[in-house]
Amino acid sequence: MVGPVAPMSAVRAAVPPGSSSSKGGARRGPHLRGSRRGGHLLKGVHRLHASNPDRSRGAPGRSLDLGEESLLSQNSERETSAAASQGQGASSSLESGENVGAERSNSKINTNDTTAENTQTTLESESVPQTNPPPFAAGNTGAVVGNTPLLDLSRLSKAENVKILAKMEFLNPTGSIKDRIALHMISRAESEGKIKPGVTTIVASTSGNTGCSVAMVCALKGYDYIVITSKKCSEEKRGSMRAFGGQVIIADDGLAADHPEHYVNLESTLCEQNENYFGIDQYENQHNPEAYYTSLGPEIWQQTRGRVTHFVAGGSTGGTVTGTGAYLKHVSDNQVQVLMPDPVGSVIFEHWAKHVPENELQASGYKVEGVGKDSIPGTLDLSFVDAMISVTDKQSIQMCQTLSSTAGALVGGSSGLNVYAAVELSKELGRQNPSREFTIVTVLPDSGLKYLSKIYNQTWCEENGFMDDECDPQDEVNRSRCRDTAVPRASATEVDDDLAAEENKSPLFSREVANAFLKDAADILTEYAAAEDVHVVDDTSGGNSNSGNGSGGGGGGNSNSNNSNSNNEQEDNDETSPLLSSSSYNAPIVSTTALGGGANPAFPRAKLADPATPIPPVITLASPEEIDAAYRERASMSLSLLANGGGGSHTTDKLLEALKVTLDMSARTHHPLFLNQLYSGVDPIGLAGEWLTAATNTNVHTYEVAPVFTLIEREVLAKMASIWLADPDEVTSVAKPTTNRKSSFQKFLSSSEAADPMPTPSAENSLDDAVACAPPHDGLFVPGGSISNMYGMLLARHRADPEYVNRGAYGAPRLVAFVSDQAHYSFSKTAGVMGLGRDNVWSVESDASGAIIPDALERSIEKAVAEGATPFFVGATAATTVMGAFDPFVSIREICDRHSFTPAGASEDERVPIWMHVDAAWGGMYFMSPKLRKQTLRGAERADSLTWNPHKMMNMPLTCSVILTREPGSLQAMNASNAAYLFQPDKNFVEYDLGDRSIQCGRKADAFKLWLAWKAKGDLGWCLEVEHVNALGEGLERMIMDQQATSSVAGCSFEGRFLMATPRSCTNVCFWYIPPRLVGELDMHIVTVDSMGEPVSPVSLVGVPDELRSEIDGVAPKIKDRMQRMAGDGSALIGFQRNKGLPNFFRLVLPGGKGLSDEVLLRMLKRMDELGKDL
């Protein structure tokens, strides 16, 4: 039997002094340690991430053992007499006159206090008022109302010490918790003589479930009934209400609460007009919460054996949260705390958290049924609510789908709302007190069978934006709603002194708090980094490609072209790479076939969910003042560190909010249309590697402090050197070279079938043997491509003048370096830093594509020699920053060899060629495709040194840059300082130390993230990615050229408003947008198609008047400004600039293909056209 309980009137009278006990009031009891700090996290809008099943104390739906007995009520037969005769909980046998709170004087009941120790509380005997409604025969439908079992949902908990249990109220006869109040309120009305079977017609206004329950009870007792609901009510619930034989009236939805035709007001109107009509009045009838006080509350207490610590329930009438909360607070001596979730669109949250008066409350539309309200009902007593959480429709509905797929519970939207809130509460409880055990009990109010046409209907979910890959349509409203509600309603005097002192400590003063903070921060960052914003994946598309050039087709897969690398199986790896599956987040998305290319079946096809759907912003550019204001408003802190001692010790919650503000105000580089820079969103495997190296916080200077990272750096450098130094003619396949010639690529990538076998790494070889299989090389991971280029120039100087590092510039020969006029500016900066002088870096003319002109290079070298200088360095480029040009490396190597020189201090017969360095920071990824390296990188393998930035097209987190040289030991010879405190010659494994090769002391372990990603993708994965992104560049170029020739592309009429500005190279596509008012005038001076009708690329502006060129020059900056600010959509981020005497053009770069297709790029062009038409 359940312990003695007090009537609700007695509980209300026992509310602590200073609390509000009136309707709509709010109370925070002094016991509520979590409500001051916990309340503001409970307002969060975090997306649910399913917890590791291994953390579960019991799988969903199974019995959870808390001691001798199971917490779950087995109750398999649920017979009428079970609760009454055997005392197994408080069933709703209200009609039989059973006292569900039967006396048990001086009963000892276990409870948990705030110290987490079990204590024993003696409750005074006090009975629930008796009622004597007419009895039912055993087996009557009404006799099986209530006494529902508990479902264990603890695997969804975000904390090991927090259990989540849910009352399965959908097991009531009509599939709803409302059976409890319908039976109780009608029985009460009968006992009070207000209604009589055969005479009275019962009228009930309802959002759905109460109407079904009233209809069932009326059929049972012999009453006619009329139920009134709104158009929001599901068709399934309408059918249930009709099925019991009564009348159903459907009122308009969305009417103001005081509108005479609002469904609630129609109930009173009908009753006023008909004397034999009796209104249930569930929103004001105090028998509503009484039903829960005398049934649901006692059941929860008995089934958990008094171990419940928190109760979670949303409210429409408010009866559940009021009645159950009142009972649990009374029986636990006010220890049980109550959390009330409220859907976005309901007014209860604003009234409770923001003190909005009832007459000023304004509801908005929302989809979840049976919870929330457009006014404050009289049956809701907020004095029993300790905290509230605002929940969106999407969060509720996706939780329903989680429950059905993981717990086998098909439930309605209010259940999803309750469980979502319980999961968020578990996170907060685990953070605040990880050493205490908590038990959360919530309710599953109704069955999902009532919502098959909605919640479990994919079309309905898609129409309302509730799919996984869509932005939450209520997210911004929810953020605004929760703003300034971080602290539950409590005066300063209600805050315990020790809690206040605790909040003044550093937010990470304990290991437990730091652990919880890092977990929450990781959730935020993971959700951000793994977001897919623009496209959905269509796994059914694709097919075999017969395209020879790969245009629009990705270049890999089952292509019949010569580059069919993906037909080869990767050796020693029978499993598909995790990043090559169609379900993978980072798998490249092959270009669509709009341009005639075939789709690569290795990858899914990217497409837009709905062409009318706005693309989420890449960035909405804010001013410094606006950014600072965002931190002040949302995180309660300023950007400044100068005032208030650096800002004070902000709580972890504020720090987490600061993370979110930072992400919201930053450019979303992971967005598919972030096309502004030579980098983009990170590879998820690489990101995991970055997090690990940050967590270890070590330095790759000595083996003893970074043994794993040291070995991995050696391995990755050997791998990259093997790829770079391979002869491109010997590399015809990623997985297995077909030549019998002995190549460095064969030595490292695969087993050779040559007649003269070469050593290859195997499981039996040592790591040293594996590195020895690579060609002779040296290298380091360095902090950026600019530093890598500096290393290249320093190595060249060291060969030209080995004593320079000791002697300095005094007496040194004049050294001159040569780079293209399109080369990266880091060469000039390096010359200034290393004392060479910027005037001694000579710029060499490039051709129209941006590639260096060999004859111009040779003339420059000859001129320098004539001036008595020593040409010592040529910096070639593999994919220039602006135009993406690849220099002619074969010719450059030949020139460098022809113009050899004698290094300082050497004899004449020790002449050396000019050092050739290749800056492949941008284009290095092309080494991974045999086809593309032959087209663009031939001769680069003959260079003396190489820069390669995996943080660009390989999408590694910034920074990840490499300097490689074919000269072993050259870095050590140039940079060694033999620091005695680090590089002791007699310590263990000193031969593995990398630190003395570097110009730095400290170096990050940047190799690890690339190594980890390489293990996931393999050579084939990189090959497919680079060929895919190259095909996207080709496809975009073809789109622009096609509309030059035909005025339209793929059904979009641009009428020649886009023109190619430079030849496409690499994935750089440079083009102009010409506003309509300028098209006609410009057409008089340019040629966009040749004599055969083929489009011209690039379009020459020679002969275009200066005034017209000036107007074209101003277009790109204005469109970009509109993209970022004026239009406010931030739909894409694309760079622009002047180059080679041309007016400003857009420079679109494709650093990665995630989420991109021809269709997405075409939509981007359409958006640019919309923003530029009126210029």
Side-chain angles (χ1 to χ4, degrees):
M1 297 293 292
V2 179
V5 297
M8 287 192 63
S9 58
V11 176
R12 288 196 181 94
V15 173
S19 301
S20 170
S21 61
S22 62
K23 182 190 79 168
R27 177 188 56 80
R28 176 183 177 272
H31 67 282
L32 185 57
R33 293 295 303 274
S35 69
R36 177 173 171 80
R37 296 193 309 157
H40 64 114
L41 261 193
L42 298 178
K43 71 179 175 63
V45 292
H46 307 306
R47 184 184 181 128
L48 174 69
H49 298 285
S51 302
N52 189 331
D54 293 340
R55 296 174 51 217
S56 170
R57 271 79 59 199
R62 296 187 178 181
S63 176
L64 180 67
D65 188 11
L66 292 182
E68 300 176 357
E69 304 171 15
S70 168
L71 254 181
L72 307 186
S73 170
Q74 303 302 316
N75 198 26
S76 58
E77 298 180 2
R78 303 185 69 206
E79 295 182 354
T80 306
S81 61
S85 63
Q86 299 179 25
Q88 295 178 350
S91 75
S92 292
S93 300
L94 304 175
E95 67 290 338
S96 66
E98 278 288 323
N99 178 10
V100 298
E103 298 183 5
R104 190 172 72 179
S105 300
N106 300 320
S107 172
K108 302 291 186 180
I109 299 178
N110 289 333
T111 186
N112 293 326
D113 64 12
T114 56
T115 64
E117 298 177 355
N118 287 339
T119 62
Q120 295 202 328
T121 304
T122 301
L123 299 182
E124 295 181 1
S125 174
E126 191 168 4
S127 299
V128 175
Q130 300 286 320
T131 61
N132 295 288
F136 290 108
N140 242 331
T141 304
V144 293
V145 172
N147 202 27
T148 55
L150 284 168
L151 179 67
D152 179 14
L153 298 176
S154 296
R155 73 181 297 179
L156 297 179
S157 175
K158 294 295 185 72
E160 293 282 351
N161 59 316
V162 183
K163 301 174 178 65
I164 300 177
L165 308 175
K167 286 283 280 179
M168 301 170 71
E169 292 299 296
F170 57 85
L171 296 181
N172 282 301
T174 71
S176 163
I177 194 173
K178 297 294 187 177
D179 288 358
R180 294 179 184 266
I181 65 168
L183 181 59
H184 186 66
M185 290 190 297
I186 292 175
S187 296
R188 278 288 200 173
E190 282 184 325
S191 67
E192 294 168 1
K194 295 180 179 178
I195 59 176
K196 186 176 181 179
V199 176
T200 307
T201 296
I202 293 178
V203 182
S205 58
T206 173
S207 57
N209 280 325
T210 302
C212 300
S213 300
V214 167
M216 180 268 291
V217 175
C218 287
L220 193 64
K221 288 175 171 284
Y223 291 94
D224 290 334
Y225 67 88
I226 299 172
V227 292
I228 310 164
T229 189
S230 70
K231 292 180 179 178
K232 180 179 177 180
C233 178
S234 73
E235 192 57 48
E236 292 88 341
K237 285 192 284 188
R238 298 182 198 179
S240 296
M241 289 185 275
R242 294 187 183 100
F244 292 98
Q247 181 181 356
V248 178
I249 298 174
I250 309 299
D252 287 337
D253 188 23
L255 299 176
D258 58 354
H259 194 284
E261 295 186 7
H262 188 282
Y263 74 97
V264 174
N265 299 328
L266 286 177
E267 176 186 325
S268 57
T269 300
L270 287 176
C271 291
E272 289 171 1
Q273 295 173 351
N274 299 272
E275 60 180 16
N276 289 329
Y277 283 11
F278 175 80
I280 287 293
D281 195 16
Q282 63 165 324
Y283 298 100
E284 301 294 329
N285 190 334
Q286 294 306 311
H287 296 318
N288 175 344
E290 183 181 79
Y292 298 107
Y293 185 85
T294 56
S295 64
L296 184 59
E299 288 174 29
I300 291 172
W301 186 259
Q302 188 273 339
Q303 288 173 313
T304 63
R305 302 208 317 274
R307 296 187 182 182
V308 56
T309 59
H310 294 80
F311 177 65
V312 177
S316 177
T317 67
T320 306
V321 70
T322 299
T324 312
Y327 176 86
L328 293 175
K329 283 184 174 295
H330 172 73
V331 77
S332 69
D333 194 23
N334 221 28
Q335 294 302 302
V336 173
Q337 300 174 33
V338 177
L339 168 66
M340 181 179 179
D342 193 46
V344 174
S346 169
V347 301
I348 301 173
F349 183 88
E350 278 82 2
H351 180 61
W352 186 90
K354 291 189 173 183
H355 313 275
V356 179
E358 288 189 51
N359 60 353
E360 297 179 11
L361 293 170
Q362 291 186 344
S364 58
Y366 58 98
K367 300 298 182 180
V368 175
E369 296 181 32
V371 68
K373 202 69 179 69
D374 53 8
S375 60
I376 305 300
T379 47
L380 172 62
D381 190 339
L382 289 170
S383 69
F384 297 108
V385 174
D386 296 300
M388 293 192 73
I389 176 173
S390 177
V391 183
T392 68
D393 286 334
K394 184 174 182 179
Q395 290 164 342
S396 302
I397 288 166
Q398 288 192 334
M399 179 56 75
C400 291
Q401 294 161 353
T402 297
L403 291 171
S404 65
S405 62
T406 65
L410 193 67
V411 295
S414 58
S415 301
L417 175 120
N418 287 343
V419 176
Y420 179 90
V423 171
E424 292 297 298
L425 176 59
S426 72
K427 181 197 302 183
E428 180 62 14
L429 293 175
R431 172 189 301 163
Q432 290 185 14
N433 197 342
S435 62
R436 179 186 172 188
E437 294 295 322
F438 296 97
T439 299
I440 300 171
V441 177
T442 187
V443 291
L444 307 177
D446 64 354
S447 169
L449 293 174
K450 299 170 180 278
Y451 307 96
L452 296 180
S453 62
K454 292 189 175 184
I455 295 174
Y456 301 99
N457 182 291
Q458 183 173 347
T459 301
W460 184 84
C461 290
E462 289 175 350
E463 289 173 351
N464 289 283
F466 298 151
M467 304 302 289
D468 283 336
D469 56 353
E470 297 176 338
C471 295
D472 193 325
Q474 292 178 309
D475 183 60
E476 287 303 319
V477 176
N478 200 25
R479 288 175 182 271
S480 175
R481 186 187 201 206
C482 296
R483 214 165 272 148
D484 302 324
T485 60
V487 181
R489 302 203 295 189
S491 66
T493 58
E494 291 179 294
V495 182
D496 297 334
D497 292 339
D498 59 339
L499 180 60
E502 179 182 305
E503 291 184 341
N504 286 328
K505 295 180 181 179
S506 170
L508 302 181
F509 66 91
S510 72
R511 172 74 61 178
E512 292 80 6
V513 175
N515 183 55
F517 173 79
L518 289 174
K519 287 181 179 178
D520 287 339
D523 285 346
I524 293 170
L525 298 177
T526 299
E527 183 173 348
Y528 174 84
E532 292 179 304
D533 292 308
V534 171
H535 70 284
V536 295
V537 173
D538 178 8
D539 290 325
T540 63
S541 64
N544 293 336
S545 172
N546 296 314
S547 170
N549 59 12
S551 175
N558 295 334
S559 171
N560 291 331
S561 65
N562 292 331
N563 63 308
S564 55
N565 306 307
S566 58
N567 281 328
N568 299 290
E569 297 181 359
Q570 288 181 281
E571 296 183 2
D572 302 320
N573 184 12
D574 294 332
E575 296 183 1
T576 303
S577 166
L579 295 189
L580 296 182
S581 66
S582 62
S583 61
S584 166
Y585 154 73
N586 204 48
I589 310 300
V590 74
S591 184
T592 60
T593 57
L595 305 177
N600 187 336
F603 305 123
R605 176 173 173 260
K607 68 175 184 178
L608 294 172
D610 181 357
T613 303
I615 298 176
V618 180
I619 187 173
T620 301
L621 194 61
S623 68
E625 294 77 17
E626 290 169 332
I627 293 174
D628 187 60
Y631 280 89
R632 292 176 183 273
E633 180 179 0
R634 291 173 52 186
S636 302
M637 64 180 70
S638 168
L639 286 176
S640 174
L641 290 174
L642 297 177
N644 300 322
S649 180
H650 290 281
T651 65
T652 56
D653 306 322
K654 293 302 182 184
L655 298 178
L656 290 171
E657 189 62 30
L659 293 181
K660 297 178 186 177
V661 176
T662 303
L663 294 175
D664 290 345
M665 304 302 290
S666 299
R668 302 171 70 189
T669 61
H670 64 281
H671 194 291
L673 294 180
F674 179 82
L675 307 171
N676 198 69
Q677 311 297 147
L678 304 185
Y679 56 85
S680 64
V682 295
D683 177 275
I685 305 297
L687 181 59
E690 176 81 355
W691 286 347
L692 184 143
T693 55
T696 58
N697 195 38
T698 194
N699 187 334
V700 193
H701 50 18
T702 63
Y703 180 87
E704 64 184 353
V705 300
V708 176
F709 298 137
T710 299
L711 295 176
I712 282 177
E713 181 160 345
R714 294 172 76 246
E715 294 298 321
V716 177
L717 290 171
K719 175 71 171 178
M720 298 179 78
S722 299
I723 293 170
W724 161 44
L725 294 171
D727 185 334
D729 290 326
E730 296 177 349
V731 184
T732 59
S733 168
V734 172
K736 189 175 182 180
T738 57
T739 176
N740 286 330
R741 295 174 60 187
K742 297 181 292 184
S743 72
S744 57
F745 201 80
Q746 285 174 308
K747 296 175 190 177
F748 199 80
L749 287 184
S750 62
S751 299
S752 173
E753 298 176 354
D756 181 14
M758 299 301 296
T760 57
S762 69
E764 291 74 28
N765 293 141
S766 70
L767 291 175
D768 288 336
D769 292 336
V771 173
C773 291
H777 68 280
D778 200 356
L780 280 174
F781 276 76
V782 296
S786 294
I787 302 300
S788 180
N789 284 338
M790 175 185 287
Y791 271 95
M793 193 174 284
L794 287 171
L795 286 167
R797 187 186 67 180
H798 191 68
R799 187 168 74 174
D801 187 0
E803 288 303 311
Y804 195 103
V805 294
N806 299 316
R807 182 191 66 244
Y810 182 76
R814 180 190 174 197
L815 301 177
V816 177
F818 304 87
V819 298
S820 160
D821 59 15
Q822 298 297 303
H824 195 260
Y825 64 84
S826 58
F827 291 113
S828 176
K829 284 195 170 186
T830 290
V833 170
M834 62 187 282
L836 182 70
R838 294 187 179 187
D839 290 345
N840 288 318
V841 177
W842 289 17
S843 179
V844 180
E845 182 184 1
S846 62
D847 60 21
S849 71
I852 198 170
I853 299 174
D855 289 345
L857 172 62
E858 192 144 33
R859 289 193 300 270
S860 293
I861 292 173
E862 291 170 349
K863 179 181 178 182
V865 172
E867 293 181 2
T870 300
F872 80 108
F873 175 89
V874 173
T877 305
T880 57
T881 302
V882 178
M883 301 172 71
F886 291 84
D887 285 337
F889 306 115
V890 173
S891 297
I892 293 172
R893 179 74 268 174
E894 292 171 350
I895 292 171
C896 290
D897 289 344
R898 279 199 299 270
H899 295 277
S900 60
F901 65 95
T902 302
S907 61
E908 182 62 28
D909 60 353
E910 296 178 303
R911 294 177 69 85
V912 295
I914 297 174
W915 187 281
M916 176 183 172
H917 175 80
V918 173
D919 175 9
W922 177 223
M925 180 68 156
Y926 275 47
F927 279 114
M928 300 308 302
S929 164
K931 177 189 74 168
L932 295 176
R933 76 172 293 166
K934 288 177 184 177
Q935 293 175 357
T936 59
L937 290 166
R938 184 178 296 277
E941 74 281 357
R942 298 172 60 189
D944 297 288
S945 59
L946 179 84
T947 288
W948 188 345
N949 281 7
H951 68 237
K952 293 187 185 293
M953 209 176 295
M954 297 175 88
N955 298 138
M956 290 299 101
L958 286 159
T959 59
C960 188
S961 302
V962 170
I963 176 64
L964 291 168
T965 175
R966 62 171 61 248
E967 302 290 338
S970 56
L971 290 170
Q972 181 81 14
M974 177 177 69
N975 293 324
S977 62
N978 301 310
Y981 76 98
L982 282 177
F983 309 114
Q984 300 92 345
D986 51 354
K987 71 177 181 179
N988 292 330
F989 304 112
V990 65
E991 67 274 17
Y992 287 93
D993 290 351
L994 298 177
D996 227 13
R997 301 183 189 183
S998 171
I999 61 175
Q1000 306 162 250
C1001 175
R1003 264 186 333 114
K1004 286 183 62 182
D1006 287 326
F1008 180 76
K1009 53 197 171 191
L1010 180 58
W1011 174 86
L1012 197 65
W1014 216 306
K1015 288 293 185 180
K1017 297 171 184 284
D1019 303 323
L1020 177 61
W1022 295 123
C1023 174
L1024 293 174
E1025 287 194 12
V1026 69
E1027 291 185 355
H1028 163 64
V1029 76
N1030 184 75
L1032 285 173
E1034 291 178 348
L1036 180 59
E1037 177 188 36
R1038 175 54 55 186
M1039 271 191 258
I1040 294 174
M1041 293 176 64
D1042 282 353
Q1043 61 87 44
Q1044 286 179 194
T1046 65
S1047 298
S1048 66
V1049 59
C1052 299
S1053 179
F1054 293 125
E1055 299 181 353
R1057 290 192 284 275
F1058 291 94
L1059 303 175
M1060 289 297 298
T1062 69
R1064 184 201 63 83
S1065 187
C1066 194
T1067 67
N1068 303 42
V1069 183
C1070 303
F1071 59 91
W1072 288 294
Y1073 175 78
I1074 309 299
R1077 71 178 183 85
L1078 300 180
V1079 170
E1081 182 180 359
L1082 184 62
D1083 283 348
M1084 299 170 61
H1085 303 281
I1086 63 172
V1087 175
T1088 58
V1089 294
D1090 61 20
S1091 59
M1092 302 297 293
E1094 293 297 319
V1096 172
S1097 178
V1099 174
S1100 173
L1101 297 188
V1102 174
V1104 174
D1106 290 344
E1107 183 177 350
L1108 186 52
R1109 290 171 67 98
S1110 178
E1111 292 221 50
I1112 295 172
D1113 186 69
V1115 171
K1118 292 177 182 177
I1119 291 180
K1120 182 168 184 176
D1121 176 71
R1122 290 183 173 188
M1123 282 184 167
Q1124 291 177 302
R1125 297 173 65 109
M1126 193 182 86
D1129 61 3
S1131 51
L1133 195 59
I1134 306 171
F1136 67 84
Q1137 75 172 85
R1138 305 181 184 97
N1139 192 44
K1140 299 183 78 68
L1142 298 174
N1144 274 317
F1145 53 77
F1146 285 105
R1147 182 208 63 160
L1148 183 148
V1149 291
L1150 297 164
K1154 177 179 66 69
L1156 285 176
S1157 66
D1158 291 339
E1159 183 180 1
V1160 175
L1161 292 173
L1162 177 62
R1163 181 174 174 180
M1164 177 204 68
L1165 293 180
K1166 291 172 64 177
R1167 182 60 179 149
M1168 295 177 73
D1169 187 40
E1170 292 169 0
L1171 294 175
K1173 279 185 176 181
D1174 65 335
L1175 292 178

